[in-house]
Amino acid sequence: MTRVFSGVKPTGHLTLGNYLGALRRWAEVDQHQADALFCVVDLHALTVDHDPARVRRLSRQAATLLLASGLDPKRCTVFVQSHVDEHARLSYLLECVATDGEMRRMIQYKEKAAREQGRGGSVRLSLLTYPALMAADILAYDTDEVPVGEDQTQHVELARDLAVRFNHRYGHTFVVPRATAPKVAARVMNLQDPTSKMGKSDDSGPGIVYLLDEPEVVRKKVMRAVTDSGQDVVYDREERPGVANLLEILAACEGGDPEALSGAYASYGALKKDTAEAVVEVLRPVQERHRELCADPGYVDGVLRAGAEKAREMARPTVDAAYRAIGLLPA
């Protein structure tokens, strides 16, 4: 059976973009068709200045929302990255295979380092090296497919390169993974800046629909979404990014095609109203299940413990094999 791995980083509250671009597919497709692992990658949240209590809180919230989105612990493995030591063990080996140039070419490193320097802060070494940890997340589990958004495909390509290089130098050890992406809404854009991704770490709250936003808050954000000059509702990503974003969100919520949907609307207002209601309905069952899970914290704790134990059992043979292959003495 194909093995799938993916994860979410607890650097902010999960958004509609996270759900439509990843979580829903994990629940509706991946966990049924593959041997699937889904992880809260909390170690990645430490690469920038952070509040420890907030990271813990958001990690638990993210794990709860993974389950609320439909992930079934009987069908897939749900766990927290830092609970499985093999991630950190393998990360160092991959740092010893990667090059400085590869790390510095990572787009997210360039962007985040520039932001940190712009604030007058220092750039942590882990921000440069964390793609090696991301590769370890993937390669430790003999992963075949990594369902990711467009902005993460570069990291999967790095994991592929490191796997091939390690196998060539030290003997076949890793499966070489590939990135996969959903056809619609792989990258939901900010409602106030439709040229930028709807990121959970973004400070632009009015442009971001969070999974736990109340229905009236969702409606207000969508109705205030930035559109474009002109009156015609046309699907054109380049010339009409605001309208295209609304059409893609509506299509993702209802299972339609954004270009086909554009012909059904004579005004931006009607499109916004239907999109707002579609988002409210998509989020309703997730929010209801989240409330149920929050009322039973022991269940979530049990799922994460069992998930980490299973993940350790899956990762350890591959990581131990990598230690032997690269030349380390067995313990």
Side-chain angles (χ1 to χ4, degrees), residues 225-260:
V226 168
T227 49
D228 313 291
S229 59
Q231 297 298 321
D232 296 336
V233 178
V234 178
Y235 181 68
D236 186 331
R237 246 290 161 216
E238 296 300 319
E239 299 297 326
R240 302 279 188 89
V243 172
N245 189 36
L246 291 171
L247 287 167
E248 288 189 352
I249 291 171
L250 179 59
C253 289
E254 297 187 342
D257 175 77
E259 191 163 358

mmCIF file of all heavy atoms in Angstrom, residues 225-260:
data_model
loop_
_atom_site.group_PDB
_atom_site.id
_atom_site.type_symbol
_atom_site.label_atom_id
_atom_site.label_comp_id
_atom_site.label_asym_id
_atom_site.label_seq_id
_atom_site.Cartn_x
_atom_site.Cartn_y
_atom_site.Cartn_z
ATOM 1 N N ALA A 225 -14.266 40.798 1.303
ATOM 2 C CA ALA A 225 -13.119 40.367 0.507
ATOM 3 C C ALA A 225 -12.835 41.359 -0.620
ATOM 4 O O ALA A 225 -13.756 41.924 -1.224
ATOM 5 C CB ALA A 225 -13.377 38.980 -0.080
ATOM 6 N N VAL A 226 -11.566 41.572 -0.888
ATOM 7 C CA VAL A 226 -11.147 42.443 -1.981
ATOM 8 C C VAL A 226 -11.505 41.783 -3.310
ATOM 9 O O VAL A 226 -11.270 40.588 -3.511
ATOM 10 C CB VAL A 226 -9.626 42.690 -1.918
ATOM 11 C CG1 VAL A 226 -9.120 43.337 -3.195
ATOM 12 C CG2 VAL A 226 -9.290 43.548 -0.714
ATOM 13 N N THR A 227 -12.122 42.566 -4.211
ATOM 14 C CA THR A 227 -12.395 42.070 -5.557
ATOM 15 C C THR A 227 -11.523 42.858 -6.541
ATOM 16 O O THR A 227 -10.450 43.312 -6.191
ATOM 17 C CB THR A 227 -13.892 42.164 -5.891
ATOM 18 O OG1 THR A 227 -14.362 43.480 -5.568
ATOM 19 C CG2 THR A 227 -14.686 41.136 -5.102
ATOM 20 N N ASP A 228 -11.994 43.040 -7.742
ATOM 21 C CA ASP A 228 -11.153 43.658 -8.765
ATOM 22 C C ASP A 228 -11.938 44.742 -9.496
ATOM 23 O O ASP A 228 -13.152 44.875 -9.351
ATOM 24 C CB ASP A 228 -10.688 42.595 -9.771
ATOM 25 C CG ASP A 228 -10.154 41.349 -9.070
ATOM 26 O OD1 ASP A 228 -9.085 41.450 -8.459
ATOM 27 O OD2 ASP A 228 -10.829 40.297 -9.115
ATOM 28 N N SER A 229 -11.232 45.529 -10.300
ATOM 29 C CA SER A 229 -11.909 46.543 -11.107
ATOM 30 C C SER A 229 -12.785 45.851 -12.145
ATOM 31 O O SER A 229 -12.521 44.723 -12.559
ATOM 32 C CB SER A 229 -10.873 47.424 -11.817
ATOM 33 O OG SER A 229 -10.043 46.643 -12.639
ATOM 34 N N GLY A 230 -13.856 46.539 -12.563
ATOM 35 C CA GLY A 230 -14.802 45.932 -13.487
ATOM 36 C C GLY A 230 -15.962 45.311 -12.742
ATOM 37 O O GLY A 230 -15.952 45.200 -11.516
ATOM 38 N N GLN A 231 -16.970 44.866 -13.479
ATOM 39 C CA GLN A 231 -18.181 44.320 -12.867
ATOM 40 C C GLN A 231 -18.412 42.852 -13.210
ATOM 41 O O GLN A 231 -19.131 42.156 -12.512
ATOM 42 C CB GLN A 231 -19.404 45.136 -13.333
ATOM 43 C CG GLN A 231 -19.363 46.603 -12.901
ATOM 44 C CD GLN A 231 -19.365 46.764 -11.393
ATOM 45 O OE1 GLN A 231 -20.051 46.025 -10.688
ATOM 46 N NE2 GLN A 231 -18.585 47.721 -10.883
ATOM 47 N N ASP A 232 -17.832 42.381 -14.302
ATOM 48 C CA ASP A 232 -18.087 41.010 -14.734
ATOM 49 C C ASP A 232 -17.398 40.013 -13.811
ATOM 50 O O ASP A 232 -16.259 40.217 -13.386
ATOM 51 C CB ASP A 232 -17.577 40.793 -16.158
ATOM 52 C CG ASP A 232 -18.315 41.659 -17.161
ATOM 53 O OD1 ASP A 232 -19.457 42.044 -16.854
ATOM 54 O OD2 ASP A 232 -17.748 41.948 -18.235
ATOM 55 N N VAL A 233 -18.105 38.929 -13.522
ATOM 56 C CA VAL A 233 -17.530 37.848 -12.731
ATOM 57 C C VAL A 233 -16.835 36.894 -13.697
ATOM 58 O O VAL A 233 -17.478 36.083 -14.370
ATOM 59 C CB VAL A 233 -18.608 37.120 -11.912
ATOM 60 C CG1 VAL A 233 -17.984 35.969 -11.125
ATOM 61 C CG2 VAL A 233 -19.305 38.090 -10.963
ATOM 62 N N VAL A 234 -15.517 37.031 -13.764
ATOM 63 C CA VAL A 234 -14.712 36.256 -14.710
ATOM 64 C C VAL A 234 -13.601 35.545 -13.944
ATOM 65 O O VAL A 234 -12.966 36.133 -13.072
ATOM 66 C CB VAL A 234 -14.098 37.171 -15.790
ATOM 67 C CG1 VAL A 234 -13.222 36.359 -16.734
ATOM 68 C CG2 VAL A 234 -15.189 37.894 -16.557
ATOM 69 N N TYR A 235 -13.375 34.269 -14.303
ATOM 70 C CA TYR A 235 -12.286 33.529 -13.656
ATOM 71 C C TYR A 235 -10.988 33.772 -14.414
ATOM 72 O O TYR A 235 -10.777 33.248 -15.502
ATOM 73 C CB TYR A 235 -12.601 32.035 -13.610
ATOM 74 C CG TYR A 235 -11.513 31.225 -12.932
ATOM 75 C CD1 TYR A 235 -11.275 31.365 -11.569
ATOM 76 C CD2 TYR A 235 -10.719 30.334 -13.651
ATOM 77 C CE1 TYR A 235 -10.282 30.650 -10.933
ATOM 78 C CE2 TYR A 235 -9.720 29.602 -13.030
ATOM 79 C CZ TYR A 235 -9.508 29.770 -11.668
ATOM 80 O OH TYR A 235 -8.514 29.054 -11.036
ATOM 81 N N ASP A 236 -10.134 34.618 -13.821
ATOM 82 C CA ASP A 236 -8.851 34.952 -14.442
ATOM 83 C C ASP A 236 -7.852 35.188 -13.317
ATOM 84 O O ASP A 236 -7.844 36.245 -12.690
ATOM 85 C CB ASP A 236 -8.990 36.199 -15.320
ATOM 86 C CG ASP A 236 -7.719 36.509 -16.112
ATOM 87 O OD1 ASP A 236 -6.619 36.159 -15.631
ATOM 88 O OD2 ASP A 236 -7.833 37.107 -17.198
ATOM 89 N N ARG A 237 -7.012 34.186 -13.058
ATOM 90 C CA ARG A 237 -6.077 34.240 -11.933
ATOM 91 C C ARG A 237 -5.135 35.442 -12.022
ATOM 92 O O ARG A 237 -4.788 36.038 -11.012
ATOM 93 C CB ARG A 237 -5.233 32.965 -11.925
ATOM 94 C CG ARG A 237 -5.455 32.059 -10.740
ATOM 95 C CD ARG A 237 -4.924 32.627 -9.475
ATOM 96 N NE ARG A 237 -5.542 31.960 -8.320
ATOM 97 C CZ ARG A 237 -5.840 32.582 -7.209
ATOM 98 N NH1 ARG A 237 -5.675 33.881 -7.108
ATOM 99 N NH2 ARG A 237 -6.334 31.945 -6.179
ATOM 100 N N GLU A 238 -4.711 35.798 -13.231
ATOM 101 C CA GLU A 238 -3.727 36.869 -13.395
ATOM 102 C C GLU A 238 -4.358 38.255 -13.307
ATOM 103 O O GLU A 238 -3.880 39.135 -12.604
ATOM 104 C CB GLU A 238 -3.000 36.712 -14.740
ATOM 105 C CG GLU A 238 -2.170 35.433 -14.852
ATOM 106 C CD GLU A 238 -1.092 35.345 -13.793
ATOM 107 O OE1 GLU A 238 -0.465 36.384 -13.513
ATOM 108 O OE2 GLU A 238 -0.885 34.240 -13.249
ATOM 109 N N GLU A 239 -5.451 38.454 -14.032
ATOM 110 C CA GLU A 239 -6.056 39.784 -14.137
ATOM 111 C C GLU A 239 -7.105 40.048 -13.069
ATOM 112 O O GLU A 239 -7.355 41.201 -12.714
ATOM 113 C CB GLU A 239 -6.681 39.960 -15.530
ATOM 114 C CG GLU A 239 -5.693 39.850 -16.674
ATOM 115 C CD GLU A 239 -4.640 40.932 -16.630
ATOM 116 O OE1 GLU A 239 -4.966 42.066 -16.198
ATOM 117 O OE2 GLU A 239 -3.479 40.655 -17.001
ATOM 118 N N ARG A 240 -7.758 39.010 -12.566
ATOM 119 C CA ARG A 240 -8.823 39.170 -11.563
ATOM 120 C C ARG A 240 -8.551 38.256 -10.368
ATOM 121 O O ARG A 240 -9.332 37.340 -10.083
ATOM 122 C CB ARG A 240 -10.185 38.813 -12.177
ATOM 123 C CG ARG A 240 -10.578 39.627 -13.417
ATOM 124 C CD ARG A 240 -11.137 40.981 -13.026
ATOM 125 N NE ARG A 240 -11.675 41.678 -14.176
ATOM 126 C CZ ARG A 240 -12.935 41.580 -14.604
ATOM 127 N NH1 ARG A 240 -13.793 40.786 -13.977
ATOM 128 N NH2 ARG A 240 -13.350 42.276 -15.645
ATOM 129 N N PRO A 241 -7.455 38.465 -9.643
ATOM 130 C CA PRO A 241 -7.103 37.533 -8.560
ATOM 131 C C PRO A 241 -8.125 37.480 -7.425
ATOM 132 O O PRO A 241 -8.327 36.421 -6.823
ATOM 133 C CB PRO A 241 -5.756 38.054 -8.068
ATOM 134 C CG PRO A 241 -5.731 39.499 -8.472
ATOM 135 C CD PRO A 241 -6.480 39.558 -9.769
ATOM 136 N N GLY A 242 -8.772 38.619 -7.107
ATOM 137 C CA GLY A 242 -9.749 38.622 -6.025
ATOM 138 C C GLY A 242 -10.958 37.769 -6.345
ATOM 139 O O GLY A 242 -11.395 36.935 -5.540
ATOM 140 N N VAL A 243 -11.522 37.960 -7.528
ATOM 141 C CA VAL A 243 -12.682 37.175 -7.945
ATOM 142 C C VAL A 243 -12.288 35.712 -8.131
ATOM 143 O O VAL A 243 -13.041 34.800 -7.746
ATOM 144 C CB VAL A 243 -13.279 37.753 -9.246
ATOM 145 C CG1 VAL A 243 -14.361 36.832 -9.801
ATOM 146 C CG2 VAL A 243 -13.859 39.133 -8.987
ATOM 147 N N ALA A 244 -11.118 35.478 -8.720
ATOM 148 C CA ALA A 244 -10.668 34.099 -8.926
ATOM 149 C C ALA A 244 -10.543 33.364 -7.595
ATOM 150 O O ALA A 244 -10.905 32.184 -7.487
ATOM 151 C CB ALA A 244 -9.329 34.097 -9.660
ATOM 152 N N ASN A 245 -10.051 34.047 -6.561
ATOM 153 C CA ASN A 245 -9.911 33.427 -5.251
ATOM 154 C C ASN A 245 -11.274 33.027 -4.689
ATOM 155 O O ASN A 245 -11.453 31.912 -4.175
ATOM 156 C CB ASN A 245 -9.208 34.396 -4.296
ATOM 157 C CG ASN A 245 -8.826 33.749 -2.979
ATOM 158 O OD1 ASN A 245 -8.448 32.585 -2.933
ATOM 159 N ND2 ASN A 245 -8.927 34.501 -1.895
ATOM 160 N N LEU A 246 -12.260 33.919 -4.807
ATOM 161 C CA LEU A 246 -13.610 33.593 -4.317
ATOM 162 C C LEU A 246 -14.195 32.410 -5.082
ATOM 163 O O LEU A 246 -14.812 31.509 -4.493
ATOM 164 C CB LEU A 246 -14.523 34.814 -4.446
ATOM 165 C CG LEU A 246 -14.209 35.983 -3.504
ATOM 166 C CD1 LEU A 246 -15.043 37.205 -3.890
ATOM 167 C CD2 LEU A 246 -14.472 35.605 -2.050
ATOM 168 N N LEU A 247 -14.005 32.393 -6.402
ATOM 169 C CA LEU A 247 -14.529 31.297 -7.217
ATOM 170 C C LEU A 247 -13.841 29.976 -6.867
ATOM 171 O O LEU A 247 -14.501 28.925 -6.823
ATOM 172 C CB LEU A 247 -14.337 31.611 -8.700
ATOM 173 C CG LEU A 247 -15.268 32.679 -9.290
ATOM 174 C CD1 LEU A 247 -14.768 33.128 -10.658
ATOM 175 C CD2 LEU A 247 -16.708 32.162 -9.394
ATOM 176 N N GLU A 248 -12.552 30.021 -6.588
ATOM 177 C CA GLU A 248 -11.845 28.794 -6.221
ATOM 178 C C GLU A 248 -12.298 28.279 -4.860
ATOM 179 O O GLU A 248 -12.438 27.071 -4.654
ATOM 180 C CB GLU A 248 -10.337 29.026 -6.234
ATOM 181 C CG GLU A 248 -9.774 29.168 -7.640
ATOM 182 C CD GLU A 248 -8.261 29.178 -7.669
ATOM 183 O OE1 GLU A 248 -7.635 29.216 -6.585
ATOM 184 O OE2 GLU A 248 -7.695 29.159 -8.782
ATOM 185 N N ILE A 249 -12.526 29.200 -3.920
ATOM 186 C CA ILE A 249 -13.016 28.796 -2.602
ATOM 187 C C ILE A 249 -14.411 28.174 -2.730
ATOM 188 O O ILE A 249 -14.694 27.105 -2.163
ATOM 189 C CB ILE A 249 -13.041 30.000 -1.636
ATOM 190 C CG1 ILE A 249 -11.609 30.440 -1.308
ATOM 191 C CG2 ILE A 249 -13.789 29.649 -0.352
ATOM 192 C CD1 ILE A 249 -11.525 31.748 -0.547
ATOM 193 N N LEU A 250 -15.289 28.831 -3.481
ATOM 194 C CA LEU A 250 -16.641 28.307 -3.679
ATOM 195 C C LEU A 250 -16.593 26.943 -4.360
ATOM 196 O O LEU A 250 -17.299 26.010 -3.955
ATOM 197 C CB LEU A 250 -17.454 29.289 -4.519
ATOM 198 C CG LEU A 250 -18.904 28.886 -4.843
ATOM 199 C CD1 LEU A 250 -19.708 28.679 -3.573
ATOM 200 C CD2 LEU A 250 -19.555 29.941 -5.731
ATOM 201 N N ALA A 251 -15.762 26.820 -5.380
ATOM 202 C CA ALA A 251 -15.639 25.543 -6.086
ATOM 203 C C ALA A 251 -15.126 24.444 -5.167
ATOM 204 O O ALA A 251 -15.613 23.309 -5.206
ATOM 205 C CB ALA A 251 -14.710 25.704 -7.289
ATOM 206 N N ALA A 252 -14.147 24.770 -4.331
ATOM 207 C CA ALA A 252 -13.603 23.777 -3.414
ATOM 208 C C ALA A 252 -14.639 23.352 -2.379
ATOM 209 O O ALA A 252 -14.710 22.183 -2.006
ATOM 210 C CB ALA A 252 -12.368 24.338 -2.715
ATOM 211 N N CYS A 253 -15.439 24.298 -1.915
ATOM 212 C CA CYS A 253 -16.464 23.977 -0.920
ATOM 213 C C CYS A 253 -17.574 23.102 -1.503
ATOM 214 O O CYS A 253 -18.097 22.199 -0.843
ATOM 215 C CB CYS A 253 -17.079 25.258 -0.354
ATOM 216 S SG CYS A 253 -15.991 26.205 0.723
ATOM 217 N N GLU A 254 -17.964 23.370 -2.756
ATOM 218 C CA GLU A 254 -19.110 22.699 -3.358
ATOM 219 C C GLU A 254 -18.737 21.610 -4.349
ATOM 220 O O GLU A 254 -19.614 20.936 -4.894
ATOM 221 C CB GLU A 254 -20.000 23.741 -4.048
ATOM 222 C CG GLU A 254 -20.587 24.759 -3.084
ATOM 223 C CD GLU A 254 -21.587 25.684 -3.744
ATOM 224 O OE1 GLU A 254 -21.571 25.760 -4.998
ATOM 225 O OE2 GLU A 254 -22.370 26.320 -3.019
ATOM 226 N N GLY A 255 -17.437 21.446 -4.608
ATOM 227 C CA GLY A 255 -17.022 20.409 -5.526
ATOM 228 C C GLY A 255 -17.213 20.759 -6.987
ATOM 229 O O GLY A 255 -17.340 19.871 -7.833
ATOM 230 N N GLY A 256 -17.246 22.054 -7.316
ATOM 231 C CA GLY A 256 -17.452 22.484 -8.691
ATOM 232 C C GLY A 256 -16.174 22.931 -9.354
ATOM 233 O O GLY A 256 -15.067 22.722 -8.850
ATOM 234 N N ASP A 257 -16.329 23.576 -10.508
ATOM 235 C CA ASP A 257 -15.209 24.104 -11.271
ATOM 236 C C ASP A 257 -15.284 25.622 -11.256
ATOM 237 O O ASP A 257 -16.328 26.188 -11.590
ATOM 238 C CB ASP A 257 -15.272 23.591 -12.717
ATOM 239 C CG ASP A 257 -14.199 24.217 -13.584
ATOM 240 O OD1 ASP A 257 -13.044 23.797 -13.471
ATOM 241 O OD2 ASP A 257 -14.525 25.146 -14.360
ATOM 242 N N PRO A 258 -14.205 26.315 -10.873
ATOM 243 C CA PRO A 258 -14.285 27.774 -10.735
ATOM 244 C C PRO A 258 -14.645 28.495 -12.029
ATOM 245 O O PRO A 258 -15.411 29.460 -12.007
ATOM 246 C CB PRO A 258 -12.888 28.165 -10.229
ATOM 247 C CG PRO A 258 -12.009 26.996 -10.496
ATOM 248 C CD PRO A 258 -12.885 25.795 -10.473
ATOM 249 N N GLU A 259 -14.130 28.030 -13.140
ATOM 250 C CA GLU A 259 -14.439 28.695 -14.410
ATOM 251 C C GLU A 259 -15.900 28.517 -14.783
ATOM 252 O O GLU A 259 -16.562 29.448 -15.234
ATOM 253 C CB GLU A 259 -13.532 28.166 -15.512
ATOM 254 C CG GLU A 259 -13.612 28.988 -16.782
ATOM 255 C CD GLU A 259 -12.442 28.726 -17.715
ATOM 256 O OE1 GLU A 259 -11.551 27.926 -17.355
ATOM 257 O OE2 GLU A 259 -12.428 29.328 -18.800
ATOM 258 N N ALA A 260 -16.423 27.324 -14.552
ATOM 259 C CA ALA A 260 -17.838 27.077 -14.855
ATOM 260 C C ALA A 260 -18.742 27.890 -13.934
ATOM 261 O O ALA A 260 -19.777 28.411 -14.353
ATOM 262 C CB ALA A 260 -18.143 25.586 -14.726
#
